[in-house]
Amino acid sequence: MMKPEWLARSLLVALLALAALAVGAGWYGQRGVVTLRARMPEGGGWSPGEIKADVGEPLKLRLTSDDVTHSFAVGQLDLPAVDIHPGEMSEVTLVFDRPGKYTYYCTRWCGLNHWRMRGTIEVSSPDPSQTGKVVVGETPLYLELGLDIDTPHPAQLTPGSKPAASAGRARLEQVPLKYRGLSYYRTHSPAAAWEALRAEPFARDLSDAQVWSLVAALWQANTGAERLAEAEAIYRQNCAACHGENGGGDGVFAAQAASEAASMDVPTSGQPIDAHDLKTPANFTAAESMLGASPAILQGKIVRGGMGTGMPYWGPIFTEEQIWALVDYLWTFQFDYSLEVNP
Amino acid sequence: MTHAAGGDRETGKDRFDLARLPWLRPLIYSRWPLFIARSVTLAGFVFTILVGLFGSPVGSHNFAIIFVWIAWWTALKLFFIPLGGRSWCSVCPLPMPGEWLGQGGLVSKTRKRLGLRLRWPRRLRGYWLQVGLFLVIGLFSAVTLTDPRVTAWILLSLILLAILLSLVYERRAFCTYLCPIGGFTGIYAQIAPVEVRVVNTAICAAHAEKTCYLECPWGVYPVALRDSSQCGLCLECLRVCPQDNIALNLRPFNSDLGAARRTQRLDEAFLALVMLGSALAFGAVFIGPWGILKNAALAIGSLPWLGYAAAFLTLNMAFLPAAFALAVWLAEKGSLRTAPFRRALANWSQALLPLGLFSWIAFTVSFALPKFSYITNALSDPLGQGWSLLGSAQVVVNADKFNLAPILQVAALLVGLYWSVNLAVNLAKTETGAPLALRKAAPLVAFSLLYTLLMLGLLVG
Amino acid sequence: MSLPASKRSRYLPWLVISLAGILILILPLPVQARDSTGHTFKVEARRFAYSPSILKVHPGDQVTIELTSQDVVHGLVVDGYDLEAQAEPGQTTRLTFTADRAGTFRLRCSVTCGSMHPFMIGKLQVGNNDLLWRGAGLALLLVLAGVWKGYQ
């Protein structure tokens, strides 16, 4: 018969072992799987910040957050974002068919420095002929054209009120063909287009405002409702927080973006912050600056970021088509694209 | 051990000796039930520390935070203390490793006892250290209540401290003089309907050995127990008394309160006031809509936090004590006897005890009931690692579908007020007759009423 | 059958107190008669409070909350009403409901937004705060009752 004391000791040891094992079991169960921990950039961002994978091999990631709601998406992959909730686990399995450096990023706002929350997945291939292919789009247009996206681009003349594309649509057929293609649209600012159209013979009898409506109609002809809808969703999710829901450069982070960014030291793989990050986000409703920019310049700014501000660089994140759609959407802050014909 | 048959036990009226019940006696007199309970709480304690250190850093998804500050705290405030007095102390894991080392065994006492068994320094006796510790914890409460790592380190420090003190000092020095929980559990135990008392003092007078005192882990002499604040309800004295002369009584609420106290010690009064003040402070910071307070309490070390700390300490150490002292002074002003003011303060502070206990009950209900869902989530996924042991990890259980929480809070505050007022009048009556007693008690009654209205405004306003 | 005079005088005060208590509990509080209107509140959520943190309406009013967030993803639920909304920076969410229940209800955040998330609280005051008034009334009554009991 077991002495009571030894029975007691066995019971105690068993219970303590159970407690320790329960925690240990959690540990054991997690080995072999990459757990990606998400934290606000102020708290360290993604951990790990770099992941390695092989072409064609599924990469299983378990995702959890250590502070607030985040989300996981990989730039330029057709994958819906996976929400990451604090204290809970999400899972995602990725398969890459091309080697290269992919950027993963957070898609739910997690504070002022949300956009700096990025990491890289290095996808390598055993096939030597496949190495070295970098996964980004083709060279952005502004680089091809050698445009300077950092100097200011004020328009010489601006319309008195927001031009309505519907007013100019009727006269679109009169506009010479050279103005109507995508290449013209992308390489010319609305102000430049206005000046060119103003000088054209067919526009001699038109008022300045009517020429602006023509420019608006021309701009609208280079995009479509579906693209604009997709772009609006991207804008609301990614841009509105700084640039404002109505494009006025007055988003919730506008003021902070200028001052706080300069004083914070955020250790991420993104752009370092310096004292130049002092300007507030661009105001898309300001006619002078917007109408003097060509879509190529706008695309460049979105792709590269910077400009002496806290503007993120979206090149690795969005596809080229997505960024062009976004540029198309930005014009809706300057032009009225609604379908009714205003008399 | 011999036990006299249950028949010749005399207990006072208003007392029912639970040790008389035939089905309960074996559970009381065996050491095993308590040992098993303590082993379970110790294992739970170790689990909590490990989860706090290694689980998710998100407080609301970590077993350590949920179970310590919601589940256990609610059980403590709503059941252990109001119904059992110091009953938690009987199953608390903190003193156990030290006690086992000190007695040389888990369920038996041997000669292999470790420990210096020094007497606790005279200067450090009383509730003062516990008051200080409670205030300090209050300053860091925003972080303690929400950061699993901090909770884990605090628990670890407490148990290591308890073990250390057990090896140096005699009896349960940690529990009696340092444990922040022990402080208020002790003073509120005077309200609870449970007590340990001797049955027949004549038998004790004739007994030379005083086995009960020698074996009591708390160093309590059962014959001399005037109130339940120092008795940890471990029932060891019941087990060792050769005459079976000790009872575990059910009694009316507030039994230890109402008699005039001759003590001049102010520590209990101060602790009672600190409990009142911190209920107000925490009600404002945690339950109120004022983000500026929450962020100040969170940003430890910053200027706003210093402001919060100053306000917290001023409320607890200056403002509320001054208001209470004023009430006591007004009460004693017309008094025929010139009792020392210190004694009056100590005496009247009894009326603060029901007020404090029920304010804390109301405050606990205000965050425990709406957040009950966290408990079921934490049981399913203690580490916040994505487990779902009970399938309840993500389910949001609305434990308060009918929004009863505010009503329960009001009810608790009203019970506390009623008992406090009643007590104040009874205390006044120990000095003067009925008509004058009302005038004497009026300032204290006003104090309790004003405090209750403040808490009402904070919690349901 | 009827009680002797001495007993009557002992129980009478308790009867009065109980009656007073019941009255306090059920007597309807004065309510301003007014047509229900619509209220729109622009509520900014930030860690860890709402701004404005206290919303005052009258029973029957149509309440619209335009919830914006100033930093991370926040949520909003109203105790006693089965409603939820979530917002993140740059995206305003609208929540519309009729405040048919009178009283004071806590607004709570429903999306973990940081350490003090469980304590991110606001208030919706619909009409009079019934519970507070009745509670205060009962408090006064209980003071009388406690004093009376002490007298005896």
Side-chain angles (χ1 to χ4, degrees):
Chain A
M1 197 191 73
M2 203 174 188
K3 282 170 70 177
E5 181 63 24
W6 289 107
L7 186 60
R9 291 186 192 192
S10 314
L11 178 65
L12 183 64
V13 169
L15 284 170
L16 290 174
L18 190 65
L21 276 171
V23 179
W27 227 249
Y28 192 69
Q30 282 202 317
R31 81 205 192 291
V33 183
V34 180
T35 299
L36 187 56
R37 306 198 80 93
R39 258 182 225 149
M40 295 163 72
E42 293 87 335
W46 296 106
S47 164
E50 281 150 24
I51 302 175
K52 291 201 185 338
D54 288 320
V55 168
E57 292 292 315
L59 173 68
K60 183 172 173 193
L61 294 173
R62 296 185 66 199
L63 310 161
T64 187
S65 162
D66 287 345
D67 45 24
V68 299
T69 302
H70 295 277
S71 187
F72 174 87
V74 182
Q76 304 188 350
L77 271 195
D78 226 352
L79 198 77
V82 177
D83 271 354
I84 308 176
H85 299 289
E88 294 171 25
M89 279 288 173
S90 315
E91 276 182 8
V92 71
T93 306
L94 305 166
V95 182
F96 300 92
D97 45 351
R98 286 203 291 162
K101 208 169 194 175
Y102 295 79
T103 303
Y104 58 92
Y105 61 105
C106 177
T107 67
R108 304 284 313 261
W109 277 89
C110 50
L112 174 64
N113 291 292
H114 155 71
W115 76 265
R116 298 182 197 275
M117 198 170 154
R118 298 185 183 177
T120 50
I121 305 179
E122 191 90 46
V123 181
S124 49
S125 168
D127 179 358
S129 70
Q130 274 198 308
T131 53
K133 292 218 174 86
V134 181
V135 182
V136 283
E138 299 131 23
T139 317
L141 194 55
Y142 80 97
L143 278 180
E144 266 182 43
L145 298 175
L147 295 174
D148 180 359
I149 61 175
D150 291 306
T151 47
H153 38 75
Q156 300 298 331
L157 281 159
T158 56
S161 59
K162 201 173 182 184
S166 49
R169 212 170 290 129
R171 290 191 201 91
L172 257 184
E173 306 134 8
Q174 298 174 14
V175 176
L177 269 164
K178 67 172 180 183
Y179 296 110
R180 298 227 288 249
L182 204 60
S183 58
Y184 182 85
Y185 160 69
R186 287 187 175 170
T187 52
H188 289 81
S189 67
W194 183 87
E195 278 178 23
L197 288 176
R198 174 84 279 183
E200 286 284 333
F202 80 92
R204 220 169 304 160
D205 299 323
L206 297 175
S207 68
D208 284 351
Q210 284 172 320
V211 180
W212 277 117
S213 313
L214 207 47
V215 174
L218 201 59
W219 253 229
Q220 190 190 26
N222 283 294
T223 183
E226 218 177 276
R227 274 167 76 89
L228 288 177
E230 185 198 325
E232 185 178 1
I234 294 177
Y235 179 85
R236 277 172 54 81
Q237 182 64 40
N238 296 284
C239 322
C242 292
H243 288 283
E245 291 180 54
N246 300 314
D250 56 356
V252 298
F253 289 126
Q256 293 172 65
S259 55
E260 269 191 36
S263 59
M264 254 199 286
D265 184 28
V266 178
T268 69
S269 55
Q271 277 183 330
I273 310 161
D274 56 25
H276 288 141
D277 297 332
L278 289 172
K279 292 197 225 154
T280 54
N283 178 358
F284 300 133
T285 60
E288 205 193 330
S289 51
M290 277 300 285
L291 295 177
S294 64
I297 288 182
L298 294 181
Q299 185 225 26
K301 294 194 185 207
I302 297 175
V303 165
R304 195 204 69 179
M307 284 94 55
T309 71
M311 171 69 183
Y313 60 105
W314 297 102
I317 304 298
F318 296 123
T319 62
E320 210 186 322
E321 276 314 299
Q322 284 176 315
I323 296 185
W324 280 123
L326 203 49
V327 170
D328 293 347
Y329 175 74
L330 289 179
W331 296 118
T332 62
F333 292 116
Q334 290 297 322
F335 301 136
D336 183 358
Y337 282 178
S338 51
L339 292 174
E340 324 86 69
V341 177
N342 295 323
Chain B
M1 290 186 299
T2 56
H3 303 293
D8 53 11
R9 302 172 75 89
E10 311 160 19
T11 47
K13 66 177 178 101
D14 290 353
R15 299 290 191 270
F16 178 79
D17 183 6
L18 288 171
R20 254 193 267 164
L21 295 170
W23 55 271
L24 203 51
R25 280 181 76 90
L27 290 173
I28 291 179
Y29 286 97
S30 163
R31 288 219 172 88
W32 280 95
L34 215 52
F35 172 74
I36 292 173
R38 288 164 171 174
S39 303
V40 169
T41 57
L42 184 60
F45 192 79
V46 168
F47 180 71
T48 301
I49 292 180
L50 289 173
V51 174
L53 289 175
F54 301 114
S56 170
V58 180
S60 51
H61 287 80
N62 188 302
F63 181 92
I65 295 287
I66 301 303
F67 258 75
V68 173
W69 304 116
I70 299 186
W72 167 79
W73 187 263
T74 305
L76 184 72
K77 286 291 186 183
L78 266 57
F79 301 107
F80 279 106
I81 297 181
L83 301 178
R86 271 197 113 135
S87 51
W88 168 256
C89 300
S90 66
V91 296
C92 179
L94 285 180
M96 292 330 296
E99 191 155 294
W100 291 327
L101 288 170
Q103 66 187 23
L106 301 182
V107 286
S108 50
K109 300 181 188 185
T110 72
R111 290 220 189 92
K112 297 191 203 138
R113 302 186 180 202
L114 284 178
L116 299 173
R117 273 180 280 282
L118 301 178
R119 298 205 63 177
W120 185 257
R122 183 152 255 172
R123 285 252 177 86
L124 298 176
R125 291 186 188 211
Y127 290 114
W128 295 109
L129 285 174
Q130 288 154 317
V131 170
L133 212 52
F134 194 81
L135 283 174
V136 166
I137 291 180
L139 291 178
F140 298 97
S141 55
V143 169
T144 309
L145 261 60
T146 56
D147 188 338
R149 314 290 184 241
V150 173
T151 291
W153 280 109
I154 288 181
L155 294 182
L156 193 56
S157 310
L158 286 177
I159 199 167
L160 290 176
L161 190 61
I163 295 175
L164 185 67
L165 287 177
S166 295
L167 296 175
V168 176
Y169 294 102
E170 60 174 359
R171 318 289 184 147
R172 287 207 186 181
F174 171 80
C175 305
T176 309
Y177 301 112
L178 263 173
C179 180
I181 308 298
F184 63 80
T185 306
I187 59 173
Y188 293 147
Q190 298 170 87
I191 300 174
V194 174
E195 68 178 11
V196 167
R197 297 285 190 276
V198 301
V199 180
N200 187 345
T201 50
I203 299 177
C204 301
H207 185 219
E209 228 183 313
K210 313 298 181 205
T211 332
C212 54
Y213 170 69
L214 291 174
E215 297 301 323
C216 174
W218 295 80
V220 166
Y221 184 29
V223 173
L225 266 178
R226 266 175 311 182
D227 64 57
S228 299
S229 56
Q230 300 309 315
C231 167
L233 291 175
C234 66
L235 307 181
E236 194 64 13
C237 50
L238 264 84
R239 294 182 200 109
V240 300
C241 174
Q243 306 296 332
D244 193 22
N245 192 30
I246 305 186
L248 173 66
N249 289 327
L250 282 179
R251 62 181 192 180
F253 286 96
N254 299 315
S255 295
D256 284 338
L257 305 172
R261 295 259 179 96
R262 301 288 159 224
T263 179
Q264 298 228 24
R265 280 173 45 181
L266 291 179
D267 55 339
E268 182 174 312
F270 205 71
L271 180 57
L273 285 164
V274 165
M275 294 305 292
L276 287 172
S278 45
L280 274 177
F282 293 159
V285 171
F286 292 103
I287 308 300
W290 304 292
I292 188 172
L293 285 179
K294 293 175 217 275
N295 287 323
L298 203 55
I300 295 183
S302 68
L303 200 61
W305 178 79
L306 286 172
Y308 157 77
F312 182 79
L313 292 173
T314 307
L315 172 69
N316 281 298
M317 292 171 63
F319 183 70
L320 216 54
F324 176 67
L326 177 66
V328 172
W329 179 77
L330 286 170
E332 294 289 317
K333 214 162 60 112
S335 186
L336 299 166
R337 280 177 247 172
T338 46
F341 192 57
R342 283 181 62 146
R343 199 203 294 172
L345 284 173
N347 189 31
W348 285 106
S349 71
Q350 296 180 59
L352 299 177
L353 296 176
L355 200 63
L357 175 61
F358 281 90
S359 300
W360 272 94
I361 290 177
F363 171 66
T364 303
V365 169
S366 74
F367 66 79
L369 210 48
K371 297 295 171 184
F372 182 81
S373 197
Y374 283 160
I375 298 179
T376 46
N377 294 350
L379 280 172
S380 233
D381 187 12
L383 284 115
Q385 277 180 356
W387 298 1
S388 196
L389 298 171
L390 303 174
S392 62
Q394 312 242 1
V395 175
V396 176
V397 171
N398 186 357
D400 195 15
K401 269 204 185 62
F402 303 105
N403 202 17
L404 290 175
I407 298 176
L408 293 172
Q409 293 167 53
V410 172
L413 288 172
L414 292 177
V415 171
L417 175 64
Y418 177 70
W419 280 355
S420 172
V421 166
N422 206 11
L423 207 49
V425 175
N426 286 339
L427 283 170
K429 275 164 69 176
T430 60
E431 305 271 319
T432 70
L436 276 176
L438 174 58
R439 207 173 303 164
K440 197 166 169 140
L444 274 306
V445 169
F447 180 90
S448 299
L449 179 63
L450 283 171
Y451 180 84
T452 301
L453 292 175
L454 258 177
M455 278 302 279
L456 268 175
L458 267 178
L459 293 184
V460 302
Chain C
M1 258 294 275
S2 64
L3 297 163
S6 58
K7 273 209 176 153
R8 231 185 289 153
S9 62
R10 258 187 69 195
Y11 288 120
L12 194 61
W14 289 111
L15 200 63
V16 171
I17 288 177
S18 311
L19 265 170
I22 292 176
L23 272 177
I24 292 178
L25 280 174
I26 64 174
L27 211 63
L29 293 173
V31 176
Q32 290 175 303
R34 45 184 293 151
D35 296 323
S36 51
T37 56
H39 289 271
T40 302
F41 295 99
K42 283 200 190 344
V43 176
E44 291 177 358
R46 68 161 53 80
R47 290 153 40 115
F48 293 98
Y50 298 102
S51 167
S53 56
I54 303 178
L55 313 177
K56 293 194 174 88
V57 299
H58 293 271
D61 284 352
Q62 181 91 323
V63 183
T64 300
I65 297 178
E66 287 185 3
L67 184 66
T68 57
S69 163
Q70 302 292 101
D71 42 31
V72 299
V73 185
H74 286 286
L76 181 83
V77 291
V78 188
D79 275 356
Y81 287 83
D82 193 14
L83 307 155
E84 200 208 341
Q86 291 187 14
E88 62 189 277
Q91 299 179 44
T92 305
T93 307
R94 265 163 206 82
L95 185 65
T96 307
F97 62 101
T98 310
D100 47 5
R101 296 197 197 178
T104 296
F105 305 91
R106 254 74 187 160
L107 310 171
R108 294 180 201 272
C109 182
S110 54
V111 176
T112 309
C113 54
S115 60
M116 288 287 266
H117 156 72
F119 304 111
M120 184 164 160
I121 293 176
K123 286 202 278 198
L124 173 70
Q125 290 180 348
V126 185
N128 294 317
N129 191 344
D130 248 25
L131 190 62
L132 182 62
W133 285 110
R134 296 191 202 282
L138 283 175
L140 283 163
L141 186 67
L142 282 173
V143 165
L144 292 171
V147 164
W148 185 258
K149 181 153 195 287
Y151 251 146
Q152 304 205 304

